Structures are given as structure tokens and as C-alpha cells.
């Protein structure tokens, strides 16, 4: 048996160390630990809805404020409230969105774009915001739930 050279061992050890570090840095957490500790480990309260099939307020059919069901995403829940007038979406807002750590920055950037897209599109057929894929998907699901409650 031939002994390996010390230089070869050093190169292999260095390559293994670099590979291990790259693998560790590429892992993503299953959930945002900042959001869990901020909520005390408990789920945040759900916005109250009236017994009128999700209608919070408003006059006739196709008018009022409608809150969609909360949708759990990898980084936290997303819930959308719509304002509808004359059968058209006149306003959209996320009443719940992921927060804590990096999620706060992503939410601050993505939610205004999603709100504007919902009003512009007049429905749930909106594009996802780059960098906020999970939040965008949850937003679209909650938006569709609010539209269903509004009857459109």
C-alpha cells in the first residue's frame, strides 16, 4: 500500500469543507423562526366576519367588503380583504401577511404590487411577484376566496 501525499490530503479536506459549507448555506428553514417567536408560538387571530357569507359590510349584491379565507404559506398566513362596488373590485388589501425576519421586507415590497394587480385585473388572475412566490400564491388563493364570497 502506498501512502498518500500530505498535499493531496489537504486538498481533499479543503474541498470537503467547502462542499459542506455550501450545502449548509443552501438550506432554507421550514418556517420563519422570527414569526413563530413573535406570535408566542400561537396562531394570530383571524379577522372577524359577519354571518352574511363573508360579507363584512355593504349595501346590495356585488357591493361591500369581503374577507377571503386565510391561506397558510411556508412563511406565514395570507388573508385578503376586497372592497367591491358595482360588481367591480375597487380596493384590495392584505389584512394578514408573512412577517418576521426577511419576510417583513418581502411582504412590504410584494403586497402593494399584489393589491394593485388585483384591482387592475378585477379578479384573481394576477401574476406572482418575483421573490415572493409563496406569498403571491397565498394571496391569489385568499383573493379567490373573497371573490367567491362576493359572488363574482
Amino acid at each position: 500500500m502506498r501512502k498518500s501525499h500530505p498535499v493531496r490530503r489537504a486538498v481533499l479536506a479543503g474541498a470537503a469543507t467547502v462542499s459542506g459549507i455550501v450545502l449548509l448555506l443552501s438550506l432554507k428553514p421550514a418556517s420563519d423562526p422570527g414569526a413563530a417567536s413573535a406570535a408566542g408560538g400561537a396562531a394570530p387571530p383571524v379577522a372577524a366576519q359577519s354571518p352574511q357569507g363573508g360579507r363584512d359590510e355593504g349595501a346590495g349584491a356585488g357591493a361591500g367588503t369581503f374577507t377571503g379565507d386565510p391561506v397558510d404559506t411556508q412563511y406565514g398566513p395570507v388573508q385578503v380583504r376586497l372592497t367591491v362596488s358595482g360588481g367591480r373590485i375597487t380596493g384590495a388589501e392584505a389584512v394578514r401577511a408573512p412577517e418576521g425576519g426577511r419576510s417583513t421586507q418581502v411582504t412590504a415590497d410584494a403586497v402593494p404590487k399584489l393589491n394593485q394587480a388585483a384591482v387592475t385585473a378585477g379578479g384573481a388572475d394576477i401574476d406572482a411577484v418575483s421573490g415572493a412566490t409563496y406569498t403571491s400564491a397565498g394571496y391569489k388563493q385568499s383573493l379567490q376566496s373573497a371573490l367567491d364570497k362576493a359572488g363574482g
Side-chain angles (χ1 to χ4, degrees):
M1 229 194 236
R2 200 172 99 180
K3 289 192 173 190
S4 63
H5 292 91
V7 174
R8 187 190 316 187
R9 274 192 255 163
V11 169
L12 289 174
T17 302
V18 168
S19 297
I21 290 172
V22 167
L23 287 172
L24 282 174
L25 292 175
S26 67
L27 293 176
K28 292 187 179 185
S31 65
D32 191 354
S37 64
V46 177
Q49 295 182 355
S50 70
Q52 301 173 340
R55 182 177 298 167
D56 296 328
E57 58 184 74
T65 305
F66 304 89
T67 303
D69 295 331
V71 176
D72 288 326
T73 70
Q74 181 175 347
Y75 297 102
V78 179
Q79 188 172 26
V80 178
R81 179 181 301 138
L82 293 179
T83 303
V84 179
S85 178
R88 298 192 58 184
I89 298 174
T90 57
E93 66 175 318
V95 293
R96 291 172 70 185
E99 56 185 30
R102 173 114 170 85
S103 293
T104 302
Q105 293 171 319
V106 171
T107 297
D109 180 50
V111 167
K113 293 176 183 177
L114 292 166
N115 291 340
Q116 183 60 42
V119 173
T120 302
D125 189 21
I126 59 175
D127 292 331
V129 174
S130 178
T133 306
Y134 295 109
T135 300
S136 297
Y139 187 97
K140 287 172 69 171
Q141 288 179 16
S142 185
L143 174 60
Q144 184 62 56
S145 171
L147 286 168
D148 292 344
K149 291 176 182 180

